[in-house]
Amino acid sequence: MKKRLIGGIVATAILIPAAAFAASAVIDMPARTPMTTEQVKVDEVGKSTLEKLYLAYPETKSFEIIDASNVQGDVSKGKNVVNVNQTSIVLQEKGGTGKKITLHTNGSTGEIEHVIQENWEPKEKSLITLTDQEIKTKVNDLIDKMYGNVEQYKVAIEQMENPNQKTWMLNYTNEMFKEPVYQVFVQDNTISVTKIVGIPTGPDTPSNIKVEGLFSLNGKPDYSADNFLNDEKLFALLKISPTELKQELAKGKTVVEIAASKNVSKQQVIDVIAETQSRAQLQGDGVPISEHSLKQMMKAIEPKLLPIIEHKTETKW
């Protein structure tokens, strides 16, 4: 089972749908600092997380915050040291016996990395009694509401070899990414979603999201390109802020067209993004970054960039 997990400590953690990030039971995590409801509502990351949840599920506005905390510190991941900064919020229907949802948000990027949805199905027809297709439909709905445009991913579902508890694993893939974008576990009456692409693996990781939903698809934010385009070196090359880039893309321009208007070539754009992505990939894999390995990785990544920098948003906002 462990061999199939993606994302290291992240994927391991979601197997335990506990109120606060449960990886401490598996790995030596830094101590968590409890947060009150009032602190969550005035905290920038907390407010943003709640806004995204309320937009996705308006009914949760009436839920109570039953637990919240923040964890910061360094954690070993293979040969690398990962700096963890995560805010966790747990909400439940009033009464303490109904629907429950847990959100783990990256405190540096504001990106929701994990969503754990519990008891959203009636006990008499819990998730593990459903067919594979019905489970897919439930998971698709959660991803679509929390992240948008689930239809752009291919999904593979399999039942895990878990003698103690029925468990299904779903991997959502997109050809632009080497790893699954989302990895999901379903057990009992719980859906645990981890966003794999976009989770920082080190200080040079390109997924320090400055703005989300740079493109839109079918009237909804399309987050698939955010990991590539939220690049400090790209912003510097184009002499543009993240917000200004989003505004220009919303007008129907491509990244290449925006670059051309600033006398920057398409190849320059490709080289900047490819180098950032390659360094992050090599670092995450624990591979020494040499001139040869960097060039080889950049060459492999380049074809994935063309559809992004030449893409026009599907909906003008």
Side-chain angles (χ1 to χ4, degrees):
M1 186 170 179
K2 290 182 181 178
K3 292 180 181 178
R4 299 178 181 178
L5 301 181
I6 306 296
I9 62 171
V10 168
T12 305
I14 67 170
L15 289 175
I16 310 171
F21 190 56
S24 56
V26 182
I27 240 172
D28 185 20
M29 291 288 289
R32 300 195 69 86
T33 302
M35 298 174 69
T36 65
T37 298
E38 291 70 27
Q39 287 174 322
V40 171
K41 291 182 177 179
V42 298
D43 178 72
E44 185 177 342
V45 174
K47 285 194 299 183
S48 173
T49 301
L50 290 176
E51 286 171 1
K52 292 174 184 177
L53 174 64
Y54 295 156
L55 182 62
Y57 293 98
E59 66 186 284
T60 57
K61 291 180 181 180
S62 65
F63 284 21
E64 296 177 305
I65 295 176
I66 63 171
D67 194 5
S69 58
N70 175 264
V71 60
Q72 295 187 42
D74 293 334
V75 176
S76 295
K77 182 182 179 184
K79 297 180 181 179
N80 301 316
V81 175
V82 180
N83 181 260
V84 174
N85 180 4
Q86 188 184 74
T87 294
S88 298
I89 306 172
V90 187
L91 302 95
Q92 190 168 34
E93 281 185 313
K94 291 182 179 179
T97 58
K99 296 178 180 178
K100 183 176 178 181
I101 191 161
T102 302
L103 307 165
H104 300 301
T105 303
N106 186 298
S108 300
T109 68
E111 184 177 33
I112 297 176
E113 296 174 336
H114 319 101
V115 181
I116 302 173
Q117 194 182 66
E118 301 175 68
N119 303 324
W120 284 60
E121 299 301 316
K123 289 183 179 180
E124 58 272 16
K125 194 176 182 182
S126 66
L127 288 166
I128 59 171
T129 68
L130 304 180
T131 65
D132 286 6
Q133 187 55 51
E134 288 173 326
I135 289 175
K136 279 185 186 180
T137 300
K138 297 292 183 182
V139 176
N140 283 355
D141 182 69
L142 175 57
I143 292 176
D144 193 61
K145 286 182 177 177
M146 292 302 300
Y147 297 101
N149 297 306
V150 71
E151 62 270 14
Q152 67 185 296
Y153 304 108
K154 294 180 179 179
V155 57
I157 181 172
E158 64 174 302
Q159 187 171 345
M160 306 295 290
E161 296 176 5
N162 186 356
N164 300 318
Q165 194 174 41
K166 272 190 174 182
T167 303
W168 281 261
M169 180 176 71
L170 295 86
N171 282 318
Y172 286 75
T173 57
N174 183 297
E175 60 182 11
M176 290 192 299
F177 302 102
K178 179 180 178 181
E179 295 181 340
V181 179
Y182 303 101
Q183 188 169 74
V184 185
F185 290 92
V186 176
Q187 55 185 209
D188 288 337
N189 215 359
T190 299
I191 299 174
S192 297
V193 178
T194 294
K195 185 177 182 185
I196 303 298
V197 173
I199 295 176
T201 56
D204 297 325
T205 300
S207 54
N208 293 317
I209 303 299
K210 305 298 180 183
V211 288
E212 295 182 316
L214 288 165
F215 293 123
S216 61
L217 179 65
N218 298 327
K220 297 180 181 179
D222 179 359
Y223 301 104
S224 60
D226 291 356
N227 185 57
F228 290 93
L229 298 182
N230 274 281
D231 188 319
E232 291 288 359
K233 292 183 180 179
L234 175 65
F235 300 143
L237 177 68
L238 299 181
K239 296 179 181 178
I240 196 171
S241 72
T243 301
E244 290 171 335
L245 177 61
K246 183 171 182 176
Q247 291 171 345
E248 291 299 301
L249 291 171
K251 296 176 183 178
K253 299 178 182 178
T254 66
V255 175
V256 171
E257 290 171 342
I258 295 170
S261 70
K262 297 176 178 292
N263 296 317
V264 175
S265 70
K266 179 166 71 174
Q267 192 59 50
Q268 284 177 288
V269 171
I270 291 173
D271 290 344
V272 163
I273 302 175
E275 182 176 351
T276 302
Q277 293 287 330
S278 297
R279 287 185 179 278
Q281 182 68 52
L282 292 169
Q283 181 186 25
D285 292 341
V287 177
I289 301 177
S290 64
E291 184 177 352
H292 176 72
S293 65
L294 187 61
K295 285 184 178 180
Q296 289 295 104
M297 183 63 72
M298 287 176 66
K299 185 177 180 181
I301 287 176
E302 183 171 329
K304 300 179 182 180
L305 298 180
L306 292 175
I308 296 174
I309 64 175
E310 295 179 343
H311 179 68
K312 291 188 177 183
T313 190
E314 302 291 328
T315 308
K316 295 182 181 180
W317 289 25

